[in-house]
């Protein structure tokens, strides 16, 4: 519910301000689309399975669920990586060079991210890697436990881990460390000035917001990655079901954090959300008043 409401507000704000969106903000929209896609395509099935105490739909739904999770997970990771790289380029470039990052460039980058994610999601379907149920039985993902004695599966896990997790994560960390150093140097240069320029304040706020988004995503998925790699080299029976369940739920919660971060750091987003709330509140009040008036009339006639 939090994921759908929060990211719907992000998308509604983006649609309303579509002509005013800057090129890097398109990546924020893409991240919201990936989070919404994960929530709508996966969570209802997982919730229904949890209520039934067993996975519903058999092997076909299991493969579908795992494929959607892998697709949207890699897409989110690569989007965060692209956001970090673009923030680094904008921060460390002159204004004329930063203007070269156009909407067409970002749209091409987003298309590449989706194609890259789709390629990795399809690979287990064509024989490189496997999809299967989680140890606790009401969710599906990459079948980590099948890779004990399989060179095919192990090569897939190793490649996926390096190209979809380690390399993007290192890129994100390196970019934000570079940005932090640049901002620190800039503040040192203006420390004797009584009033810090608004541009410097905005740059610091945008960087902090982007860092928190990346930290929230990586923190959510790190316990799941640790539990998954444990099951690669050890029997899945060595972990209690709750030990594998909690990291999975924590990883899925990553789709709900970003709108709250935007709300705290973005004045524009706060204003748009308040307008949406006022509009929705007016509609609810309107329909409620109509409903109460209708009840009053029906009561009068029945009297």
């Amino acid at each position: 519910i939090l994921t759908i409401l929060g990211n719907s507000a992000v998308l509604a704000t983006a649609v309303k301000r579509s002509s005013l969106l800057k090129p890097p903000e398109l990546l924020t929209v893409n991240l919201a689309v990936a989070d919404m896609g994960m929530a709508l395509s996966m969570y209802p099935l997982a919730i229904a399975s949890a209520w039934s105490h067993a996975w519903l739909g058999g092997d076909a739904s299991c493969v579908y669920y795992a494929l959607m999770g892998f697709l949207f997970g890699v897409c989110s990771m690569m989007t965060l990586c692209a956001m970090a790289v673009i923030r680094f380029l904008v921060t460390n470039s002159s204004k004329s060079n930063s203007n070269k990052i156009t909407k067409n460039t970002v749209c091409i980058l987003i298309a590449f991210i989706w194609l890259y994610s789709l390629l990795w999601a399809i690979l287990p379907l064509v024989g490189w890697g496997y999809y299967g149920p989680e140890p606790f039985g009401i969710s599906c993902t990459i079948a980590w436990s099948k890779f004990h004695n399989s060179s095919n599966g192990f090569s897939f896990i190793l490649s996926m881990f390096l190209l979809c997790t380690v390399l993007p994560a290192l890129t994100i960390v390196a970019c934000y460390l570079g940005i932090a150093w640049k901002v620190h140097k800039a503040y040192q240069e203006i420390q004797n000035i009584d009033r810090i320029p608004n541009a410097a304040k905005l740059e610091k706020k945008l960087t902090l917001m982007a860092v928190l988004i990346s930290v929230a995503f990586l923190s959510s998925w790190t316990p799941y990655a640790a539990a998954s790699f444990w099951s690669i080299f050890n029997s899945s029976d060595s972990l209690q079901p709750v030990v594998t369940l909690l990291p999975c739920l924590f990883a899925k919660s990553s789709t709900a954090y970003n709108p709250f971060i935007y709300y705290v750091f973005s004045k524009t987003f706060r204003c748009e959300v308040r307008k949406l709330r006022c509009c929705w509140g007016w509609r609810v009040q309107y329909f409620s008043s109509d409903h109460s008036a209708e009840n009053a009339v029906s009561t009068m006639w029945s009297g």
Side-chain angles (χ1 to χ4, degrees):
I1 292 172
L2 290 176
T3 297
I4 292 172
L5 290 179
N7 288 288
S8 294
V10 174
L11 295 178
T13 302
V15 170
K16 190 175 180 180
R17 300 181 60 252
S18 58
S19 60
L20 301 175
L21 286 180
K22 297 177 181 178
E25 290 179 310
L26 295 176
L27 290 170
T28 302
V29 176
N30 191 56
L31 193 59
V33 170
D35 289 343
M36 282 281 286
M38 184 175 288
L40 294 174
S41 65
M42 298 171 59
Y43 296 173
L45 186 56
I47 293 170
S49 298
W51 280 106
S52 300
H53 303 283
W55 180 252
L56 301 177
D59 293 339
S61 65
C62 185
V63 170
Y64 158 79
Y65 184 94
L67 187 145
M68 291 294 106
F70 199 19
L71 170 65
F72 292 119
V74 174
C75 181
S76 297
M77 185 66 170
M78 300 309 297
T79 302
L80 291 172
C81 182
M83 288 172 63
V85 172
I86 288 181
R87 291 254 14 109
F88 178 80
L89 294 176
V90 170
T91 304
N92 290 273
S93 301
S94 62
K95 189 168 182 62
S96 59
N97 289 331
S98 63
N99 289 336
K100 292 181 180 179
I101 302 176
T102 63
K103 284 190 176 182
N104 287 336
T105 303
V106 176
C107 287
I108 293 171
L109 179 59
I110 290 173
F112 172 77
I113 288 172
W114 280 102
L115 290 174
Y116 184 81
S117 306
L118 184 61
L119 172 65
W120 280 101
I122 289 176
L123 286 176
L125 301 181
V126 297
W128 194 30
Y130 313 95
Y131 286 136
E134 300 268 17
F136 52 86
I138 55 172
S139 178
C140 292
T141 184
I142 297 170
W144 307 97
S145 58
K146 288 187 178 181
F147 301 144
H148 288 292
N149 302 315
S150 170
S151 59
N152 173 39
F154 187 78
S155 63
F156 172 77
I157 286 294
L158 184 61
S159 302
M160 183 272 295
F161 180 65
L162 291 175
L163 298 177
C164 298
T165 305
V166 174
L167 192 58
L170 290 178
T171 302
I172 290 170
V173 172
C175 286
Y176 287 131
L177 285 177
I179 293 171
W181 176 253
K182 179 72 175 180
V183 171
H184 173 70
K185 296 293 289 183
Y187 268 72
Q188 279 189 331
E189 293 174 1
I190 60 176
Q191 63 181 349
N192 296 324
I193 303 176
D194 294 334
R195 187 171 180 272
I196 298 174
N198 289 332
K201 292 180 180 179
L202 179 62
E203 187 67 35
K204 185 177 180 180
K205 183 181 289 188
L206 290 174
T207 299
L208 183 58
M209 183 177 73
V211 168
L212 286 177
I213 291 170
S214 299
V215 167
F217 183 85
L218 294 175
S219 300
S220 300
W221 283 92
T222 297
Y224 180 76
S228 299
F229 267 81
W230 174 270
S231 63
I232 291 175
F233 301 103
N234 301 274
S235 173
S236 57
D237 296 333
S238 61
L239 294 175
Q240 294 294 325
V242 70
V243 177
T244 58
L245 173 62
L246 291 179
C248 184
L249 295 178
F250 193 45
K252 287 179 171 62
S253 71
S254 65
T255 58
Y257 301 146
N258 295 339
F260 293 99
I261 297 174
Y262 302 146
Y263 190 84
V264 172
F265 286 92
S266 174
K267 184 178 180 180
T268 303
F269 184 61
R270 281 200 302 274
C271 293
E272 294 295 338
V273 169
R274 286 168 186 164
K275 289 178 183 177
L276 290 172
R277 285 170 57 190
C278 290
C279 181
W280 178 251
W282 179 84
R283 289 177 181 175
V284 170
Q285 185 178 4
Y286 175 78
F287 286 117
S288 298
S289 60
D290 281 0
H291 184 65
S292 60
E294 182 182 346
N295 286 340
V297 171
S298 62
T299 303
M300 181 180 68
W301 278 107
S302 63

